[in-house]
Amino acid sequence: MYIVALYINQYLCNQKKRVRTMKRFCVLFAMIIMTAATCVAREVKNINAGWEFRLGDDGTAGEGWLSVGLPHSFSLPYFMSKDFYVGYGWYRNNVRLTKKDVAQYVALEFDGVFQEAEVFVNGKKAGTHVGGYTGFEIDITPYAKAGDNEIKVRVNNLWKATVAPRGGEHTFSGGIYRNVRLVKKDKAHIAWYGTRITTPTLEANEGKSSTVEAEIELEGLVQARPYTIEITISLNGETISRRSAPVSPQPPCNGHQSVVTIESPAIPNPALWSPSTPHLYTLTARLYDGKKAIDETTETFGFRWFTWTKDRGFFINGKHHFFRGANVHQDQAGWGDGVTDEASRRDVRMMKECGFDMIRGSHYPHSPAFSDECDRQGMLLWQEAPFWGTGGEKKDGSWTAGAYPGNKQHEADFEKSALQQLEEMIRIHRNHPSIFVWSMSNEPFFTGWGTMEGVKRMLKLMVDKAHQLDPTRKAAVGGAQRPLGNDRIDLIGDVAGYNGDGANIADFQQPDVPSVVSEYGSTTAVRPGKYVPGWGDLARNEGYKGRPWRSGQAIWCGFDHGSIFGDALGRMGIVDYFRLPKRSWYWYRNEYAHVAPPEWPTEGTPAALQLEAIMPNGGKASTIKTDGTEDVQLIVTVVDADGKPLSNTPDVTLSIVSGPGELPTGRSITFSRESDIQILDGKAAIAMRAYQQGKAVVEASSKGLKPARLELTFTGGEKYRPTMAIADRPYKRYAAEADANIQSFGKDNPTFATSSAEGHSAGMAADGRKDTYWTGEALTLDTERSISLREVILTTDCGANDFRIEMSNDNECFSGCMNNTEKTSDGYRIILSIPTTCRYIRVTFNKPGLKLYEIEAKGILK
């Protein structure tokens, strides 16, 4: 009996084990089924590494191809030269695809190519994009094959009469200067940047709750398939809302097969985004075919609302906010425009660190990574379309050409180009909570005679387009301080931005639209510069403190940058080109962030060098990625025997002793006070990147000083071998043929006066009209250029002894000159006996009531 009982017990135990085993099998089977059901086919691969480049218009096989990584500029290495190569360059790479890949939708995504890109796959042209500052997608499915696929991109940076911008003071180097990705996804998929996210009930509910609306564009759908779209909203990785809706293929809408709108339930008490509380949510959109997930995208967004008023300023989430910011160009020392995402992120962090809460992306759409970092840092971003003008000769073929075409045959195509790039900018950046306005332009009044009506029409078209594409944001007209009177352009948009003297021109005081000072002052200096703010004309009547009706202000500018007009415009940043702060940056940091400046270095006895690495993610990362999205900022400091920083500037060489990595000039770079690659005030800096994994040893050395070394770890990609070491790229300043043409300055340039009679402001002396005038004591014309001045022409009613002409480079120290004054029919022509280099020209009247109708300066650009 006992034996039988044991037998039965053993049998039951075995049965229980079988049941447990069966249960485990069922759970595992269910997990497999669920995994299959939620399998997403989309694969996104960064392909910045492994490219070859040839300068010139020869894309054939053979010698002359150089190994490069992206981002890349034609001008590499570049250090603020006003001249740059103009022409063609070819890029090539190889991507391997499987049979499964080529059965899907395969595309290349470019974040930015300046300015025309022709993409070839296996020898066949797959697509073209024109426009230098916005991303684009090229469908390569029809040309792809299983195995190796050759990708070639023919790029040019030629000036084109029908492409925006036609003019600007920046440099316009060519290249694939932003990221490139290979994307493989199901034939039925979510379109490129195809999800638009809004919070439609947030403002009405005063931020206490809001639904989230996702408008999703779909492509490649097949009739009679059971498609479903699901959206999932998360905060800090925790799902807070999920909703789905069926999808029925529709007739094409805006070029997309179906547009589906899903609205979530109301989300109570959302964490609001603001400059002080940059809370970010994620929305994942997932496309299902039956129970199988076939595509998904994830976007970040924020809950916030903006209110612009013309009489009370600007409000975020119902609270008044006067923003203080900086204009920012994208290029950096050595790498030019071809900077990594991490370099862009450092720029945003530097502006945030000194207390600013707003950036104006001057004067073109900045990269998606730049917008991402503005989101994370709580930095309001004024994102700007590239409808841009600048002073100088209004001659087609150069980057000083009129903002709008003077040839009727070019008008339609130019307007199409400007609207295309505006639409791309909005599509790419629309979900970023940091973007608080879309700007249509910068100083488009710098245009040829007879084209101002075209400028106005273009601005109206752009404003209407922006409203259509994004009704949730205002459309601004940036740099709208000219013309004056009845020809004004500042009231065309929802918000007006005034540069320079526009902050004090009578026409623009408390205008009929919300307004900002989109550029004020500057601190033109070679580092270290002075410990001063750059208020410029904003200092008058303490305008820098703001006005009750004004929304905010932005200094010109955050960083030194390359300019076609040379150092006179390029060195206006509060941070230098190598991303080392000038003393003005410390002034703003002390004023706005309440961080005291450091002790300034002084000359001493150098003993050693210190080498510091600013790692990615604000120094939090311990390694650097090798996919072209990250780099490391290296800073060398001259110190004495006690380790105290000095201002001495000996020549310093930075070298990659071993391991992967490259500097703009190759494996080493030498800083010298007298070169374009400068060491100043005891410091030098440059960014370093790598495209292979491994440990790199970097050394800073200088004759007679103790060297410094550090080790850096690069992760991802192919393992580095010494044979992969990049070839040297010796720096030689690019010099185009000198332009000895005498150019005219005056019309629409900034003017500043010590006094003005009512109704006769300083701007009327430089508006190109003979029926308006300025009257007062002294007026200064800012040519915004360094010129070799030859003559000054005054249209005035004064006598030959009633005025004095003086020149200055810094608007502080003025001096006269030997000249020959000739009487003209309506004024005087002052011919300089010896050409004088200057930027500012001042006219002082010796008696009251005299009238200056126009001032014109003629000279050669330095």
Side-chain angles (χ1 to χ4, degrees):
M1 192 72 181
Y2 175 73
I3 295 173
V4 171
L6 285 174
Y7 198 82
I8 294 171
N9 185 62
Q10 183 67 39
Y11 173 79
L12 292 173
C13 287
N14 289 338
Q15 288 296 100
K16 288 179 180 178
K17 288 180 180 177
R18 289 190 185 99
V19 170
R20 284 197 298 268
T21 302
M22 182 60 70
K23 285 181 178 178
R24 289 177 185 144
F25 174 77
C26 290
V27 169
L28 179 61
F29 182 74
M31 290 175 66
I32 292 171
I33 295 298
M34 289 174 65
T35 301
T38 58
C39 177
V40 177
R42 179 178 290 229
E43 180 185 344
V44 180
K45 181 183 179 182
N46 173 298
I47 57 168
N48 284 343
W51 290 80
E52 292 183 311
F53 171 71
R54 177 186 277 169
L55 193 65
D57 196 15
D58 182 3
T60 60
E63 297 181 354
W65 290 89
L66 303 174
S67 295
V68 299
L70 306 181
H72 178 266
S73 167
F74 285 3
S75 298
L76 181 71
Y78 175 79
F79 293 94
M80 288 184 69
S81 166
K82 69 182 181 67
D83 299 322
F84 50 93
Y85 169 83
V86 176
Y88 287 84
W90 281 81
Y91 295 83
R92 70 182 183 187
N93 204 341
N94 186 281
V95 297
R96 190 165 184 80
L97 300 172
T98 66
K99 289 182 179 180
K100 179 184 175 183
D101 293 335
V102 297
Q104 297 181 301
Y105 178 90
V106 186
L108 294 172
E109 292 181 353
F110 295 80
D111 283 343
V113 180
F114 196 90
Q115 129 171 301
E116 180 175 4
E118 300 169 82
V119 180
F120 299 85
V121 179
N122 297 321
K124 296 180 180 179
K125 192 170 185 177
T128 299
H129 181 267
V130 182
Y133 301 106
T134 46
F136 55 97
E137 179 193 61
I138 301 292
D139 176 8
I140 67 170
T141 310
Y143 315 99
K145 60 183 176 67
D148 290 332
N149 291 260
E150 184 185 54
I151 309 296
K152 284 188 175 181
V153 187
R154 183 186 187 224
V155 178
N156 77 74
N157 63 333
L158 302 173
W159 182 91
K160 289 183 172 62
T162 58
V163 177
R166 288 169 44 90
E169 58 80 28
H170 195 222
T171 50
F172 300 93
S173 295
I176 306 178
Y177 71 98
R178 291 179 184 164
N179 302 321
V180 180
R181 293 172 295 277
L182 174 69
V183 179
K184 295 172 278 187
K185 51 191 175 183
D186 196 274
K187 294 283 189 182
H189 55 264
I190 299 168
W192 175 76
Y193 285 105
T195 301
R196 175 176 175 265
I197 305 168
T198 56
T199 53
T201 60
L202 184 66
E203 182 174 3
N205 294 332
E206 298 180 331
K208 296 175 183 176
S209 72
S210 180
T211 59
V212 175
E213 185 177 282
E215 183 183 273
I216 303 165
E217 300 169 2
L218 305 171
E219 297 174 332
L221 303 188
V222 178
Q223 293 289 341
R225 297 295 302 173
Y227 295 114
T228 305
I229 273 284
E230 177 188 76
I231 61 169
T232 304
I233 299 167
S234 305
L235 175 64
N236 299 326
E238 181 180 344
T239 298
I240 60 174
S241 180
R242 180 178 281 118
R243 177 159 284 190
S244 61
V247 178
S248 299
Q250 306 162 357
C253 177
N254 295 326
H256 301 284
Q257 192 169 5
S258 289
V259 179
V260 181
T261 300
I262 307 179
E263 190 165 7
S264 76
I267 295 172
N269 301 313
L272 300 182
W273 186 97
S274 74
S276 59
T277 60
H279 297 295
L280 293 174
Y281 288 72
T282 60
L283 185 147
T284 298
R286 183 172 287 174
L287 175 64
Y288 287 86
D289 183 352
K291 293 184 178 181
K292 180 183 179 183
I294 58 174
D295 194 22
E296 76 172 33
T297 60
T298 298
E299 300 273 348
T300 57
F301 72 100
F303 289 88
R304 86 287 182 264
W305 77 95
F306 305 127
T307 306
W308 295 83
T309 72
K310 65 180 182 180
D311 54 352
R312 295 177 295 119
F314 176 71
F315 295 78
I316 302 178
N317 302 329
K319 297 178 181 179
H320 184 265
H321 184 89
F322 186 85
F323 54 81
R324 296 174 173 87
N327 286 258
V328 170
H329 273 302
Q330 66 188 3
D331 57 312
Q332 299 188 16
W335 303 101
D337 292 321
V339 298
T340 66
D341 289 351
E342 177 59 27
S344 296
R345 291 191 284 262
R346 279 197 302 271
D347 279 359
V348 176
R349 291 195 294 266
M350 286 194 77
M351 293 298 98
K352 186 72 175 184
E353 185 183 346
C354 76
F356 291 144
D357 57 18
M358 174 266 190
I359 285 175
R360 182 187 183 202
S362 48
H363 297 293
Y364 40 78
H366 284 233
S367 70
F370 193 93
S371 296
D372 286 341
E373 193 65 16
C374 287
D375 293 344
R376 284 191 287 267
Q377 295 296 327
M379 186 70 83
L380 294 167
L381 177 56
W382 172 297
Q383 193 73 285
E384 195 154 78
F387 182 29
W388 189 7
T390 191
E393 189 177 12
K394 295 294 165 273
K395 179 182 177 182
D396 278 8
S398 75
W399 293 105
T400 63
Y404 189 85
N407 186 328
K408 291 285 185 184
Q409 294 180 348
H410 296 154
E411 290 182 358
D413 285 343
F414 175 78
E415 290 179 2
K416 182 179 179 182
S417 167
L419 291 171
Q420 167 212 315
Q421 293 181 72
L422 173 67
E423 181 169 358
E424 290 168 341
M425 175 182 76
I426 293 175
R427 182 179 184 84
I428 292 166
H429 298 277
R430 59 191 171 184
N431 292 329
H432 291 282
S434 58
I435 296 176
F436 68 128
V437 69
W438 301 116
S439 176
M440 307 297 102
S441 63
N442 180 62
E443 298 184 344
F445 54 79
F446 279 119
T447 192
W449 288 100
T451 62
M452 186 52 69
E453 288 305 312
V455 169
K456 291 179 183 178
R457 183 174 66 252
M458 183 77 260
L459 288 172
K460 289 175 182 175
L461 287 170
M462 293 177 77
V463 168
D464 290 344
K465 188 72 168 178
H467 289 162
Q468 173 198 337
L469 295 170
D470 183 7
T472 70
R473 290 182 178 92
K474 301 293 186 185
V477 177
Q481 68 274 12
R482 297 292 191 283
L484 306 177
N486 296 330
D487 292 329
R488 290 166 60 172
I489 61 173
D490 60 314
L491 304 181
I492 292 174
D494 309 311
V495 178
Y498 304 115
N499 297 351
D501 61 345
N504 285 316
I505 290 176
D507 286 11
F508 309 131
Q509 304 307 297
Q510 200 160 355
D512 204 32
V513 293
S515 63
V516 309
V517 177
S518 42
E519 293 177 18
Y520 71 80
S522 65
T523 58
T524 305
V526 175
R527 187 173 55 82
K530 298 177 181 178
Y531 185 69
V532 294
W535 299 130
D537 207 41
L538 205 57
R540 183 184 299 181
N541 300 323
E542 296 186 325
Y544 60 88
K545 293 183 177 179
R547 301 284 185 245
W549 40 267
R550 188 171 281 165
S551 294
Q553 60 200 31
I555 189 173
W556 183 265
C557 55
F559 302 94
D560 287 356
H561 63 279
S563 171
I564 62 173
F565 299 115
D567 287 355
L569 256 70
R571 293 192 186 273
M572 290 184 174
I574 60 173
V575 178
D576 80 357
Y577 201 47
F578 297 84
R579 272 26 186 191
L580 292 172
K582 301 180 189 178
R583 292 183 183 174
S584 286
W585 182 88
Y586 291 104
W587 189 96
Y588 282 100
R589 189 180 68 163
N590 183 52
E591 181 72 11
Y592 293 154
H594 311 299
V595 178
E599 180 182 349
W600 307 131
T602 57
E603 286 213 1
T605 303
L609 299 176
Q610 288 181 351
L611 182 57
E612 175 189 5
I614 307 299
M615 297 293 284
N617 195 22
K620 298 176 184 177
S622 59
T623 61
I624 309 112
K625 293 179 182 178
T626 60
D627 62 1
T629 64
E630 290 188 350
D631 60 12
V632 56
Q633 183 80 344
L634 301 175
I635 301 175
V636 184
T637 305
V638 181
V639 298
D640 65 13
D642 296 323
K644 182 180 179 180
L646 300 176
S647 62
N648 301 60
T649 54
D651 288 0
V652 169
T653 297
L654 196 60
S655 303
I656 302 170
V657 178
S658 63
E662 59 184 82
L663 301 159
T665 50
R667 297 279 288 184
S668 68
I669 188 169
T670 297
F671 302 90
S672 177
R673 182 179 178 85
E674 302 305 321
S675 76
D676 290 345
I677 309 173
Q678 291 183 307
I679 177 171
L680 298 166
D681 203 36
K683 281 186 180 292
I686 201 70
M688 172 184 167
R689 64 179 71 162
Y691 294 94
Q692 300 87 29
Q693 64 171 294
K695 293 185 182 295
V697 175
V698 184
E699 180 180 80
S701 61
S702 181
K703 186 177 180 181
L705 304 184
K706 183 181 178 181
R709 283 192 175 194
L710 54 78
E711 185 178 85
L712 302 168
T713 301
F714 292 92
T715 58
E718 191 176 0
K719 187 175 180 179
Y720 174 77
R721 300 185 304 275
T723 55
M724 296 177 174
I726 196 75
D728 286 339
R729 293 185 286 252
Y731 172 66
K732 182 179 180 182
R733 187 180 182 92
Y734 189 87
E737 186 176 340
D739 183 1
N741 293 331
I742 293 179
Q743 297 191 28
S744 177
F745 303 89
K747 182 180 180 299
D748 294 329
N749 279 113
T751 53
F752 308 96
T754 56
S755 62
S756 298
E758 185 175 354
H760 300 285
S761 64
M764 292 182 175
D767 59 3
R769 297 172 54 179
K770 299 294 179 70
D771 59 344
T772 62
Y773 62 88
W774 163 81
T775 181
E777 180 187 359
L779 177 140
T780 300
L781 172 70
D782 181 2
T783 67
E784 298 187 299
R785 314 286 182 262
S786 178
I787 65 172
S788 176
L789 183 66
R790 303 304 171 94
E791 60 183 82
V792 179
I793 299 171
L794 303 180
T795 303
T796 179
D797 63 353
C798 70
N801 297 319
D802 294 338
F803 66 90
R804 183 172 73 255
I805 298 288
E806 298 168 293
M807 284 76 67
S808 172
N809 284 309
D810 58 8
N811 204 24
E812 293 180 3
C813 300
F814 282 83
S815 60
C817 62
M818 299 292 293
N819 64 74
N820 177 31
T821 301
E822 296 180 356
K823 185 73 175 75
T824 64
S825 60
D826 53 7
Y828 297 92
R829 180 170 176 240
I830 300 94
I831 304 171
L832 277 66
S833 302
I834 300 175
T836 301
T837 299
C838 66
R839 172 178 166 178
Y840 302 91
I841 298 101
R842 183 168 68 189
V843 181
T844 303
F845 285 143
N846 299 330
K847 61 177 68 172
L850 299 177
K851 301 173 182 177
L852 181 60
Y853 293 89
E854 286 295 306
I855 178 172
E856 180 182 3
K858 291 190 174 184
I860 297 174
L861 287 172
K862 295 293 290 181

